[in-house]
Amino acid sequence: MPFIRESIVTTVSEDGTAHVAPLGVIEEDTRLVVAPFAPSTTLANLRRRPFACVSYTVDPRIFAGCVTGKRRDWPVVPAETMPGFRLAAALAHSEREVVEVVEDELRPRFRCRE
């Protein structure tokens, strides 16, 4: 059975800035799967640039700010191994490259490299 890890996913927007969004990332075997809803900015960004940074945090303000839309401009720092950003307040993070896309009308699945 897959495990869903609530996290903050950062992707790169068309203008090169960070897009920060809460998302339950699926752990399937040894891979992470990012499955954003359609339509969404995260989905559009992943289609344009197949990289995602998954940040793990326990700060509820980040989740609440993103969900309510009252705040999305959380501090980020450059990723270390991929083009993009990670959440500055992350306890840990995982930088991932998409290697396979499984299309779905509601939630395409972006399977990432181990």
Tab-separated table of all heavy atoms in Angstrom, residues 33-87:
chain	number	residue	atom	x	y	z
A	33	VAL	N	6.103	9.945	-6.017
A	33	VAL	CA	5.173	10.281	-7.084
A	33	VAL	C	4.467	11.575	-6.689
A	33	VAL	O	3.880	11.670	-5.612
A	33	VAL	CB	4.134	9.158	-7.309
A	33	VAL	CG1	3.140	9.560	-8.388
A	33	VAL	CG2	4.826	7.850	-7.656
A	34	VAL	N	4.534	12.558	-7.571
A	34	VAL	CA	3.857	13.833	-7.367
A	34	VAL	C	2.613	13.798	-8.246
A	34	VAL	O	2.710	13.580	-9.456
A	34	VAL	CB	4.770	15.023	-7.747
A	34	VAL	CG1	4.048	16.340	-7.522
A	34	VAL	CG2	6.069	14.967	-6.951
A	35	ALA	N	1.436	13.995	-7.648
A	35	ALA	CA	0.179	13.883	-8.384
A	35	ALA	C	-0.679	15.130	-8.149
A	35	ALA	O	-1.646	15.097	-7.382
A	35	ALA	CB	-0.566	12.622	-7.964
A	36	PRO	N	-0.340	16.236	-8.818
A	36	PRO	CA	-1.132	17.457	-8.641
A	36	PRO	C	-2.475	17.359	-9.365
A	36	PRO	O	-2.609	16.646	-10.358
A	36	PRO	CB	-0.249	18.532	-9.284
A	36	PRO	CG	0.555	17.797	-10.300
A	36	PRO	CD	0.771	16.416	-9.740
A	37	PHE	N	-3.443	18.078	-8.852
A	37	PHE	CA	-4.753	18.116	-9.484
A	37	PHE	C	-4.715	18.978	-10.745
A	37	PHE	O	-3.948	19.934	-10.842
A	37	PHE	CB	-5.803	18.695	-8.522
A	37	PHE	CG	-6.230	17.734	-7.466
A	37	PHE	CD1	-5.659	17.771	-6.208
A	37	PHE	CD2	-7.191	16.770	-7.732
A	37	PHE	CE1	-6.036	16.880	-5.216
A	37	PHE	CE2	-7.588	15.877	-6.756
A	37	PHE	CZ	-7.006	15.935	-5.495
A	38	ALA	N	-5.572	18.638	-11.698
A	38	ALA	CA	-5.738	19.445	-12.916
A	38	ALA	C	-7.006	20.277	-12.754
A	38	ALA	O	-8.011	19.770	-12.277
A	38	ALA	CB	-5.862	18.536	-14.132
A	39	PRO	N	-6.972	21.517	-13.120
A	39	PRO	CA	-5.800	22.313	-13.474
A	39	PRO	C	-5.132	22.850	-12.210
A	39	PRO	O	-5.789	23.072	-11.197
A	39	PRO	CB	-6.389	23.450	-14.293
A	39	PRO	CG	-7.747	23.671	-13.707
A	39	PRO	CD	-8.219	22.296	-13.261
A	40	SER	N	-3.831	23.056	-12.288
A	40	SER	CA	-3.109	23.684	-11.181
A	40	SER	C	-1.784	24.229	-11.694
A	40	SER	O	-1.268	23.784	-12.722
A	40	SER	CB	-2.864	22.693	-10.040
A	40	SER	OG	-1.926	21.708	-10.427
A	41	THR	N	-1.244	25.173	-10.951
A	41	THR	CA	0.055	25.744	-11.307
A	41	THR	C	1.146	24.689	-11.186
A	41	THR	O	2.044	24.618	-12.031
A	41	THR	CB	0.367	26.958	-10.414
A	41	THR	OG1	-0.678	27.916	-10.573
A	41	THR	CG2	1.693	27.591	-10.779
A	42	THR	N	1.068	23.855	-10.162
A	42	THR	CA	2.073	22.802	-9.984
A	42	THR	C	2.078	21.873	-11.195
A	42	THR	O	3.143	21.520	-11.709
A	42	THR	CB	1.812	22.014	-8.692
A	42	THR	OG1	1.875	22.908	-7.584
A	42	THR	CG2	2.820	20.892	-8.506
A	43	LEU	N	0.915	21.496	-11.679
A	43	LEU	CA	0.816	20.632	-12.856
A	43	LEU	C	1.446	21.299	-14.075
A	43	LEU	O	2.256	20.687	-14.777
A	43	LEU	CB	-0.645	20.279	-13.126
A	43	LEU	CG	-0.929	19.445	-14.372
A	43	LEU	CD1	-0.183	18.125	-14.337
A	43	LEU	CD2	-2.425	19.227	-14.520
A	44	ALA	N	1.097	22.545	-14.326
A	44	ALA	CA	1.660	23.274	-15.481
A	44	ALA	C	3.182	23.384	-15.361
A	44	ALA	O	3.906	23.210	-16.350
A	44	ALA	CB	1.022	24.654	-15.585
A	45	ASN	N	3.662	23.664	-14.167
A	45	ASN	CA	5.105	23.797	-13.964
A	45	ASN	C	5.834	22.476	-14.202
A	45	ASN	O	6.902	22.451	-14.822
A	45	ASN	CB	5.408	24.309	-12.556
A	45	ASN	CG	5.023	25.758	-12.368
A	45	ASN	OD1	4.744	26.479	-13.312
A	45	ASN	ND2	5.000	26.186	-11.123
A	46	LEU	N	5.280	21.375	-13.714
A	46	LEU	CA	5.916	20.075	-13.913
A	46	LEU	C	5.936	19.673	-15.382
A	46	LEU	O	6.889	19.050	-15.849
A	46	LEU	CB	5.207	19.000	-13.090
A	46	LEU	CG	5.507	19.000	-11.600
A	46	LEU	CD1	4.574	18.041	-10.869
A	46	LEU	CD2	6.959	18.634	-11.348
A	47	ARG	N	4.918	20.041	-16.118
A	47	ARG	CA	4.905	19.744	-17.555
A	47	ARG	C	5.985	20.548	-18.285
A	47	ARG	O	6.583	20.072	-19.231
A	47	ARG	CB	3.533	20.033	-18.150
A	47	ARG	CG	2.468	19.055	-17.693
A	47	ARG	CD	1.298	19.036	-18.645
A	47	ARG	NE	0.184	18.250	-18.162
A	47	ARG	CZ	0.115	16.932	-18.188
A	47	ARG	NH1	1.135	16.224	-18.622
A	47	ARG	NH2	-0.957	16.301	-17.758
A	48	ARG	N	6.217	21.759	-17.829
A	48	ARG	CA	7.206	22.643	-18.466
A	48	ARG	C	8.632	22.287	-18.044
A	48	ARG	O	9.543	22.265	-18.854
A	48	ARG	CB	6.879	24.096	-18.111
A	48	ARG	CG	7.599	25.124	-18.905
A	48	ARG	CD	7.111	26.556	-18.674
A	48	ARG	NE	6.548	26.838	-17.366
A	48	ARG	CZ	5.247	26.862	-17.062
A	48	ARG	NH1	4.349	26.614	-17.995
A	48	ARG	NH2	4.826	27.149	-15.853
A	49	ARG	N	8.822	22.043	-16.762
A	49	ARG	CA	10.142	21.705	-16.198
A	49	ARG	C	9.957	20.517	-15.267
A	49	ARG	O	9.391	20.675	-14.175
A	49	ARG	CB	10.717	22.881	-15.415
A	49	ARG	CG	11.086	24.036	-16.296
A	49	ARG	CD	11.769	25.109	-15.484
A	49	ARG	NE	12.043	26.247	-16.348
A	49	ARG	CZ	12.141	27.478	-15.940
A	49	ARG	NH1	11.982	27.759	-14.665
A	49	ARG	NH2	12.394	28.448	-16.785
A	50	PRO	N	10.426	19.350	-15.651
A	50	PRO	CA	10.124	18.120	-14.895
A	50	PRO	C	10.984	17.920	-13.647
A	50	PRO	O	11.652	16.894	-13.486
A	50	PRO	CB	10.365	17.024	-15.935
A	50	PRO	CG	11.449	17.589	-16.799
A	50	PRO	CD	11.161	19.072	-16.884
A	51	PHE	N	10.953	18.898	-12.773
A	51	PHE	CA	11.691	18.823	-11.512
A	51	PHE	C	10.790	19.315	-10.385
A	51	PHE	O	10.036	20.277	-10.571
A	51	PHE	CB	12.941	19.707	-11.543
A	51	PHE	CG	13.938	19.295	-12.579
A	51	PHE	CD1	13.949	19.888	-13.832
A	51	PHE	CD2	14.877	18.309	-12.298
A	51	PHE	CE1	14.869	19.511	-14.795
A	51	PHE	CE2	15.809	17.925	-13.252
A	51	PHE	CZ	15.803	18.527	-14.500
A	52	ALA	N	10.912	18.669	-9.229
A	52	ALA	CA	10.154	19.095	-8.051
A	52	ALA	C	11.029	18.936	-6.825
A	52	ALA	O	11.805	17.982	-6.726
A	52	ALA	CB	8.888	18.263	-7.886
A	53	CYS	N	10.902	19.862	-5.915
A	53	CYS	CA	11.591	19.752	-4.644
A	53	CYS	C	10.524	19.536	-3.579
A	53	CYS	O	9.584	20.328	-3.453
A	53	CYS	CB	12.405	21.006	-4.353
A	53	CYS	SG	13.486	20.753	-2.941
A	54	VAL	N	10.649	18.441	-2.864
A	54	VAL	CA	9.692	18.082	-1.824
A	54	VAL	C	10.313	18.458	-0.485
A	54	VAL	O	11.345	17.907	-0.099
A	54	VAL	CB	9.365	16.580	-1.879
A	54	VAL	CG1	8.356	16.216	-0.801
A	54	VAL	CG2	8.863	16.192	-3.265
A	55	SER	N	9.699	19.419	0.191
A	55	SER	CA	10.206	19.886	1.481
A	55	SER	C	9.306	19.387	2.592
A	55	SER	O	8.075	19.414	2.475
A	55	SER	CB	10.253	21.420	1.518
A	55	SER	OG	11.184	21.916	0.581
A	56	TYR	N	9.936	18.933	3.657
A	56	TYR	CA	9.204	18.439	4.817
A	56	TYR	C	9.331	19.459	5.941
A	56	TYR	O	10.432	19.865	6.298
A	56	TYR	CB	9.759	17.083	5.246
A	56	TYR	CG	9.777	16.098	4.102
A	56	TYR	CD1	10.962	15.728	3.489
A	56	TYR	CD2	8.593	15.566	3.608
A	56	TYR	CE1	10.970	14.840	2.420
A	56	TYR	CE2	8.591	14.682	2.541
A	56	TYR	CZ	9.786	14.327	1.951
A	56	TYR	OH	9.780	13.452	0.896
A	57	THR	N	8.189	19.881	6.459
A	57	THR	CA	8.162	20.879	7.522
A	57	THR	C	7.021	20.564	8.477
A	57	THR	O	6.048	19.911	8.082
A	57	THR	CB	8.015	22.306	6.957
A	57	THR	OG1	8.051	23.247	8.030
A	57	THR	CG2	6.718	22.482	6.186
A	58	VAL	N	7.139	21.054	9.686
A	58	VAL	CA	6.064	20.894	10.666
A	58	VAL	C	5.416	22.241	10.982
A	58	VAL	O	4.596	22.325	11.887
A	58	VAL	CB	6.574	20.223	11.966
A	58	VAL	CG1	6.998	18.790	11.694
A	58	VAL	CG2	7.698	21.017	12.588
A	59	ASP	N	5.762	23.254	10.218
A	59	ASP	CA	5.224	24.597	10.459
A	59	ASP	C	3.822	24.702	9.849
A	59	ASP	O	3.679	24.775	8.623
A	59	ASP	CB	6.158	25.645	9.845
A	59	ASP	CG	5.769	27.068	10.205
A	59	ASP	OD1	4.609	27.295	10.628
A	59	ASP	OD2	6.627	27.950	10.072
A	60	PRO	N	2.777	24.714	10.672
A	60	PRO	CA	1.421	24.742	10.132
A	60	PRO	C	1.082	26.045	9.400
A	60	PRO	O	0.181	26.067	8.577
A	60	PRO	CB	0.537	24.564	11.369
A	60	PRO	CG	1.368	25.071	12.503
A	60	PRO	CD	2.781	24.736	12.137
A	61	ARG	N	1.820	27.112	9.673
A	61	ARG	CA	1.554	28.388	8.984
A	61	ARG	C	1.796	28.273	7.483
A	61	ARG	O	1.103	28.903	6.690
A	61	ARG	CB	2.426	29.499	9.567
A	61	ARG	CG	2.144	29.791	11.025
A	61	ARG	CD	3.155	30.759	11.597
A	61	ARG	NE	4.500	30.193	11.422
A	61	ARG	CZ	5.621	30.886	11.497
A	61	ARG	NH1	5.590	32.174	11.751
A	61	ARG	NH2	6.785	30.302	11.342
A	62	ILE	N	2.774	27.465	7.113
A	62	ILE	CA	3.080	27.310	5.689
A	62	ILE	C	1.938	26.590	4.987
A	62	ILE	O	1.457	27.046	3.946
A	62	ILE	CB	4.422	26.575	5.501
A	62	ILE	CG1	5.549	27.401	6.133
A	62	ILE	CG2	4.695	26.330	4.017
A	62	ILE	CD1	6.885	26.695	6.215
A	63	PHE	N	1.480	25.490	5.565
A	63	PHE	CA	0.351	24.770	4.979
A	63	PHE	C	-0.892	25.655	4.934
A	63	PHE	O	-1.557	25.760	3.907
A	63	PHE	CB	0.056	23.492	5.781
A	63	PHE	CG	1.073	22.418	5.596
A	63	PHE	CD1	2.125	22.279	6.488
A	63	PHE	CD2	0.998	21.542	4.525
A	63	PHE	CE1	3.071	21.284	6.318
A	63	PHE	CE2	1.939	20.539	4.345
A	63	PHE	CZ	2.986	20.412	5.244
A	64	ALA	N	-1.208	26.320	6.042
A	64	ALA	CA	-2.407	27.158	6.114
A	64	ALA	C	-2.327	28.331	5.153
A	64	ALA	O	-3.311	28.658	4.477
A	64	ALA	CB	-2.610	27.668	7.538
A	65	GLY	N	-1.178	28.978	5.061
A	65	GLY	CA	-1.025	30.113	4.157
A	65	GLY	C	-1.221	29.717	2.708
A	65	GLY	O	-1.861	30.433	1.928
A	66	CYS	N	-0.683	28.556	2.332
A	66	CYS	CA	-0.840	28.081	0.956
A	66	CYS	C	-2.282	27.664	0.663
A	66	CYS	O	-2.833	27.996	-0.381
A	66	CYS	CB	0.098	26.909	0.699
A	66	CYS	SG	1.839	27.338	0.640
A	67	VAL	N	-2.894	26.943	1.592
A	67	VAL	CA	-4.258	26.450	1.381
A	67	VAL	C	-5.262	27.593	1.296
A	67	VAL	O	-6.151	27.592	0.447
A	67	VAL	CB	-4.651	25.455	2.496
A	67	VAL	CG1	-6.135	25.141	2.458
A	67	VAL	CG2	-3.843	24.178	2.365
A	68	THR	N	-5.122	28.588	2.152
A	68	THR	CA	-6.067	29.699	2.152
A	68	THR	C	-5.758	30.737	1.079
A	68	THR	O	-6.595	31.576	0.775
A	68	THR	CB	-6.084	30.413	3.518
A	68	THR	OG1	-4.783	30.971	3.765
A	68	THR	CG2	-6.487	29.468	4.635
A	69	GLY	N	-4.549	30.684	0.521
A	69	GLY	CA	-4.147	31.668	-0.484
A	69	GLY	C	-3.723	32.993	0.119
A	69	GLY	O	-3.417	33.942	-0.593
A	70	LYS	N	-3.699	33.076	1.444
A	70	LYS	CA	-3.332	34.340	2.097
A	70	LYS	C	-1.840	34.584	2.066
A	70	LYS	O	-1.390	35.712	2.193
A	70	LYS	CB	-3.841	34.353	3.535
A	70	LYS	CG	-5.351	34.391	3.578
A	70	LYS	CD	-5.857	34.593	4.968
A	70	LYS	CE	-7.363	34.572	4.911
A	70	LYS	NZ	-7.980	35.597	5.648
A	71	ARG	N	-1.064	33.493	1.898
A	71	ARG	CA	0.374	33.678	1.793
A	71	ARG	C	0.981	32.503	1.038
A	71	ARG	O	0.775	31.357	1.387
A	71	ARG	CB	1.021	33.787	3.171
A	71	ARG	CG	2.514	34.007	3.050
A	71	ARG	CD	3.178	34.402	4.324
A	71	ARG	NE	4.613	34.546	4.090
A	71	ARG	CZ	5.511	34.594	5.034
A	71	ARG	NH1	5.139	34.545	6.288
A	71	ARG	NH2	6.784	34.708	4.739
A	72	ARG	N	1.720	32.819	-0.002
A	72	ARG	CA	2.417	31.794	-0.781
A	72	ARG	C	3.886	32.157	-0.983
A	72	ARG	O	4.619	31.444	-1.632
A	72	ARG	CB	1.766	31.607	-2.145
A	72	ARG	CG	0.441	30.915	-2.084
A	72	ARG	CD	-0.010	30.521	-3.479
A	72	ARG	NE	-1.260	29.827	-3.448
A	72	ARG	CZ	-1.379	28.508	-3.350
A	72	ARG	NH1	-0.326	27.750	-3.274
A	72	ARG	NH2	-2.565	27.946	-3.331
A	73	ASP	N	4.301	33.283	-0.456
A	73	ASP	CA	5.657	33.785	-0.682
A	73	ASP	C	6.607	33.370	0.436
A	73	ASP	O	7.310	34.182	1.000
A	73	ASP	CB	5.644	35.299	-0.856
A	73	ASP	CG	5.133	36.023	0.379
A	73	ASP	OD1	4.431	35.409	1.202
A	73	ASP	OD2	5.441	37.215	0.525
A	74	TRP	N	6.669	32.102	0.747
A	74	TRP	CA	7.539	31.597	1.810
A	74	TRP	C	8.980	31.617	1.324
A	74	TRP	O	9.253	31.381	0.151
A	74	TRP	CB	7.098	30.195	2.206
A	74	TRP	CG	5.711	30.228	2.763
A	74	TRP	CD1	4.559	29.945	2.094
A	74	TRP	CD2	5.320	30.645	4.069
A	74	TRP	NE1	3.477	30.151	2.923
A	74	TRP	CE2	3.926	30.575	4.137
A	74	TRP	CE3	6.026	31.057	5.194
A	74	TRP	CZ2	3.208	30.901	5.285
A	74	TRP	CZ3	5.307	31.379	6.335
A	74	TRP	CH2	3.923	31.291	6.375
A	75	PRO	N	9.917	31.904	2.212
A	75	PRO	CA	11.324	31.962	1.803
A	75	PRO	C	11.809	30.624	1.231
A	75	PRO	O	11.527	29.557	1.788
A	75	PRO	CB	12.066	32.294	3.095
A	75	PRO	CG	11.042	32.936	3.977
A	75	PRO	CD	9.738	32.278	3.622
A	76	VAL	N	12.514	30.719	0.119
A	76	VAL	CA	13.107	29.552	-0.521
A	76	VAL	C	14.594	29.804	-0.732
A	76	VAL	O	15.046	30.952	-0.708
A	76	VAL	CB	12.421	29.222	-1.866
A	76	VAL	CG1	10.979	28.808	-1.662
A	76	VAL	CG2	12.509	30.393	-2.833
A	77	VAL	N	15.323	28.733	-0.936
A	77	VAL	CA	16.746	28.808	-1.265
A	77	VAL	C	16.968	27.928	-2.487
A	77	VAL	O	16.167	27.028	-2.778
A	77	VAL	CB	17.639	28.363	-0.085
A	77	VAL	CG1	17.501	29.318	1.100
A	77	VAL	CG2	17.331	26.950	0.342
A	78	PRO	N	18.040	28.174	-3.229
A	78	PRO	CA	18.287	27.350	-4.423
A	78	PRO	C	18.460	25.876	-4.070
A	78	PRO	O	19.047	25.529	-3.041
A	78	PRO	CB	19.591	27.921	-4.990
A	78	PRO	CG	19.676	29.304	-4.443
A	78	PRO	CD	19.033	29.253	-3.081
A	79	ALA	N	17.943	25.037	-4.943
A	79	ALA	CA	18.154	23.597	-4.802
A	79	ALA	C	19.625	23.289	-5.072
A	79	ALA	O	20.320	24.075	-5.720
A	79	ALA	CB	17.248	22.844	-5.774
A	80	GLU	N	20.073	22.161	-4.572
A	80	GLU	CA	21.488	21.810	-4.699
A	80	GLU	C	21.803	20.992	-5.939
A	80	GLU	O	22.882	21.133	-6.514
A	80	GLU	CB	21.922	21.033	-3.452
A	80	GLU	CG	21.778	21.850	-2.177
A	80	GLU	CD	21.854	21.004	-0.919
A	80	GLU	OE1	22.229	19.813	-1.011
A	80	GLU	OE2	21.535	21.544	0.149
A	81	THR	N	20.873	20.134	-6.385
A	81	THR	CA	21.180	19.198	-7.465
A	81	THR	C	20.268	19.329	-8.681
A	81	THR	O	20.400	18.557	-9.623
A	81	THR	CB	21.092	17.747	-6.962
A	81	THR	OG1	19.748	17.480	-6.556
A	81	THR	CG2	22.046	17.511	-5.806
A	82	MET	N	19.359	20.260	-8.663
A	82	MET	CA	18.404	20.418	-9.762
A	82	MET	C	18.098	21.890	-9.966
A	82	MET	O	18.331	22.696	-9.067
A	82	MET	CB	17.106	19.659	-9.459
A	82	MET	CG	16.417	20.134	-8.189
A	82	MET	SD	14.764	19.492	-7.994
A	82	MET	CE	13.848	21.017	-7.918
A	83	PRO	N	17.571	22.245	-11.134
A	83	PRO	CA	17.167	23.639	-11.319
A	83	PRO	C	15.873	23.901	-10.547
A	83	PRO	O	14.846	23.297	-10.838
A	83	PRO	CB	16.946	23.743	-12.837
A	83	PRO	CG	16.714	22.350	-13.303
A	83	PRO	CD	17.393	21.438	-12.332
A	84	GLY	N	15.947	24.732	-9.547
A	84	GLY	CA	14.758	25.016	-8.761
A	84	GLY	C	15.095	25.491	-7.363
A	84	GLY	O	16.203	25.949	-7.102
A	85	PHE	N	14.122	25.335	-6.481
A	85	PHE	CA	14.213	25.875	-5.136
A	85	PHE	C	13.667	24.875	-4.136
A	85	PHE	O	12.862	24.026	-4.469
A	85	PHE	CB	13.383	27.162	-5.032
A	85	PHE	CG	13.690	28.171	-6.086
A	85	PHE	CD1	12.999	28.183	-7.296
A	85	PHE	CD2	14.699	29.105	-5.882
A	85	PHE	CE1	13.295	29.117	-8.268
A	85	PHE	CE2	14.995	30.042	-6.857
A	85	PHE	CZ	14.294	30.051	-8.050
A	86	ARG	N	14.078	25.053	-2.876
A	86	ARG	CA	13.486	24.300	-1.780
A	86	ARG	C	13.045	25.288	-0.716
A	86	ARG	O	13.517	26.426	-0.662
A	86	ARG	CB	14.461	23.286	-1.199
A	86	ARG	CG	15.619	23.905	-0.448
A	86	ARG	CD	16.419	22.822	0.267
A	86	ARG	NE	17.575	23.359	0.939
A	86	ARG	CZ	17.565	23.911	2.146
A	86	ARG	NH1	16.427	24.018	2.823
A	86	ARG	NH2	18.669	24.374	2.696
A	87	LEU	N	12.148	24.853	0.123
A	87	LEU	CA	11.653	25.667	1.218
A	87	LEU	C	12.790	25.907	2.211
A	87	LEU	O	13.451	24.977	2.652
A	87	LEU	CB	10.494	24.930	1.888
A	87	LEU	CG	9.637	25.680	2.881
A	87	LEU	CD1	8.892	26.828	2.190
A	87	LEU	CD2	8.647	24.721	3.510
